[in-house]
């Protein structure tokens, strides 16, 4: 594949600053969807130009996190103040359904086969399971205290729920929806992701300033990596070689080498940064910066900030949708 150079023209609008960046290989366009809690909106960003494409008002109160169906046809927005989830058609960006969830609907994930949506509810200490074909709740699973996020293994056989209040992970059989085991993790367990091969699971523990690395097959802890400054959001690179962790108080994105199981670099970014996501090609990170009402874009090749994009008030959740689904 040949070398292609794409330069983003410098521009300044308020806090926004975009600088030139060089990509190797073919450039791809994606959309980053950002939930803005204080103005109850969702901002849609073009990741090729780092500009805002649209602002959606789904109707829920304090949209907190967003996730997509595997085929990219639908987005799901969890609302912590209205205890529900908006289902949005990504092509039209219109709300087509709203599902009740538990108290303070927080983190959510769609099963790999696209048939179910699982929602972690920290206010009611449970997970709501929604059948997306029937478009109705089919189960409520009690878990630990203050569950934050749900992540499925790549085959969809198990779900892992990070419980911030009890400092552990609930491992759930996705078919029977029964808890298989509980893995000890640090207090404030939150940001969770699993490698593409389903072997390694990482979770942040903000209350005790560390990142836990867990063997997802044996459920044994492999390492506990210290990271001062309340590590919170976490995402793995598509190849599973690196994890990127945003720390709220330190205002840095830490790069974790998943082979060495240690932090190899910190990238300064934003103020009270929260959730972090990565484009499917692994080339850019996007992290919400709550106190600046912006999203920070980071080039993973140069490991530098390339844009700061103004969004709504108190941005929190963020996820990337491949634009090719349109």
């Amino acid at each position: 594949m040949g070398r292609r150079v794409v330069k983003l023209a410098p521009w300044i609008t308020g806090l926004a600053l975009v600088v030139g960046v060089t990509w190797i290989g073919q450039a791809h366009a994606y959309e980053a969807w950002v939930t803005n809690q204080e103005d109850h909106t969702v901002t849609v960003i073009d990741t090729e130009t780092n500009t805002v494409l649209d602002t959606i008002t789904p109707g829920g109160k304090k949209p907190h996190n967003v996730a997509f169906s595997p085929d990219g046809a639908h987005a799901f927005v969890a609302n912590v103040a209205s205890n529900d989830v908006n289902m949005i058609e990504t092509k039209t960006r219109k709300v087509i359904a709203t599902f009740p969830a538990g108290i303070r609907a927080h983190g959510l994930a769609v099963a790999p086969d696209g048939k179910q949506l699982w929602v972690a509810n920290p206010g009611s200490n449970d997970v709501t399971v929604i059948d997306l074909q029937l478009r109705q709740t089919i189960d409520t699973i009690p878990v630990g205290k203050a569950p934050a996020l749900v992540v499925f293994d790549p085959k969809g056989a198990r779900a892992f729920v990070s419980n911030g209040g009890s400092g552990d992970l609930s491992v759930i059989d996705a078919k029977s929806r029964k808890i298989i085991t509980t893995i000890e993790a640090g207090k404030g367990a939150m940001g969770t992701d699993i490698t593409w091969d389903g072997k390694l699971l990482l979770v942040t523990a903000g209350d005790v300033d560390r990142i836990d690395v867990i063997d997802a097959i044996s459920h044994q802890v492999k390492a506990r990596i210290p990271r001062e400054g309340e590590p919170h959001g976490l995402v793995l690179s598509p190849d599973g070689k690196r994890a990127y962790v945003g720390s709220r108080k330190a205002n840095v994105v830490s790069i974790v080498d998943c082979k060495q199981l240690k932090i190899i670099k910190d990238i300064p970014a934003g103020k009270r940064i929260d959730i972090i996501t990565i484009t499917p090609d692994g080339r850019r990170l996007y992290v919400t910066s709550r106190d600046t009402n912006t999203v920070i874009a980071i080039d993973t090749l140069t490991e530098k900030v390339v844009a700061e994009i103004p969004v709504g008030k108190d941005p929190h959740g963020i996820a990337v949708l491949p634009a090719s689904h349109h």
Side-chain angles (χ1 to χ4, degrees):
M1 189 175 289
R3 180 182 177 91
R4 179 180 177 183
V5 178
V6 179
K7 291 186 177 180
L8 304 177
W11 56 279
I12 298 177
T13 305
L15 290 173
L17 173 64
V18 178
V19 297
V21 61
T22 300
W23 298 115
I24 297 174
Q26 183 180 359
H28 298 279
Y30 306 98
E31 291 180 3
W33 287 40
V34 186
T35 53
N36 307 302
Q37 294 191 107
E38 290 306 312
D39 54 11
H40 316 294
T41 62
V42 175
T43 300
V44 181
I45 295 170
D46 183 323
T47 67
E48 189 170 29
T49 61
N50 287 323
T51 56
V52 173
L53 293 172
D54 201 358
T55 300
I56 306 166
T57 305
K61 295 181 180 179
K62 289 200 173 184
H64 200 66
N65 279 310
V66 58
F68 294 102
S69 58
D71 63 3
H74 299 104
F76 300 90
V77 176
N79 302 297
V80 294
S82 50
N83 305 322
D84 56 18
V85 176
N86 300 125
M87 180 179 184
I88 303 171
E89 185 179 60
T90 57
K91 184 177 181 179
T92 62
R93 300 183 189 136
K94 302 295 184 183
V95 175
I96 58 173
T98 298
F99 308 116
I103 299 172
R104 295 191 61 77
H106 190 281
L108 67 178
V110 182
D113 64 7
K115 293 181 179 180
Q116 293 180 359
L117 174 70
W118 288 34
V119 188
N121 309 299
S124 48
N125 300 325
D126 55 27
V127 172
T128 302
V129 181
I130 298 165
D131 185 307
L132 292 176
Q133 295 175 318
L134 299 175
R135 295 193 180 180
Q136 65 183 35
T137 298
I138 57 172
D139 206 351
T140 300
I141 308 170
V143 288
K145 294 180 180 178
L149 292 181
V150 180
V151 63
F152 287 93
D153 69 21
K155 294 181 179 179
R158 293 167 299 161
F160 298 85
V161 181
S162 54
N163 302 303
S166 49
D168 53 33
L169 289 165
S170 298
V171 185
I172 303 171
D173 180 277
K175 186 175 181 180
S176 67
R177 298 193 288 274
K178 303 296 183 184
I179 293 179
I180 301 169
T181 189
T182 300
I183 305 170
E184 190 272 329
K187 280 278 190 177
M190 216 295 298
T192 311
D193 204 359
I194 192 167
T195 52
W196 64 271
D197 58 6
K199 293 181 178 179
L200 205 64
L201 182 79
L202 282 81
V203 58
T204 58
D207 290 1
V208 292
D209 286 341
R210 76 179 192 222
I211 304 154
D212 288 350
V213 184
I214 297 164
D215 185 314
I217 306 301
S218 68
H219 304 147
Q220 299 300 307
V221 175
K222 291 176 67 70
R224 300 197 193 278
I225 305 169
R227 170 61 267 182
E228 292 184 1
E230 196 181 341
H232 194 72
L234 179 149
V235 69
L236 281 156
S237 60
D239 62 10
K241 293 181 179 179
R242 289 182 167 187
Y244 299 92
V245 181
S247 294
R248 279 176 163 175
K249 294 178 180 177
N251 295 316
V252 298
V253 173
S254 299
I255 304 174
V256 177
D257 185 299
C258 291
K259 186 175 182 180
Q260 300 180 61
L261 300 182
K262 68 178 185 179
I263 293 171
I264 57 174
K265 187 171 183 176
D266 289 329
I267 305 169
K271 189 174 182 182
R272 195 159 62 108
I273 59 175
D274 217 303
I275 305 302
I276 188 168
T277 190
I278 193 167
T279 53
D281 59 13
R283 291 177 176 174
R284 280 194 189 165
L285 297 168
Y286 288 86
V287 57
T288 50
S289 176
R290 298 177 69 175
D291 286 353
T292 59
N293 296 325
T294 59
V295 167
I296 310 296
I298 297 171
D299 174 7
T300 59
L301 299 179
T302 64
E303 297 172 354
K304 295 184 183 298
V305 172
V306 295
E308 187 167 1
I309 308 154
V311 290
K313 294 180 180 179
D314 194 17
H316 183 270
I318 187 166
V320 170
L321 166 75
S324 60
H325 287 303
H326 291 250

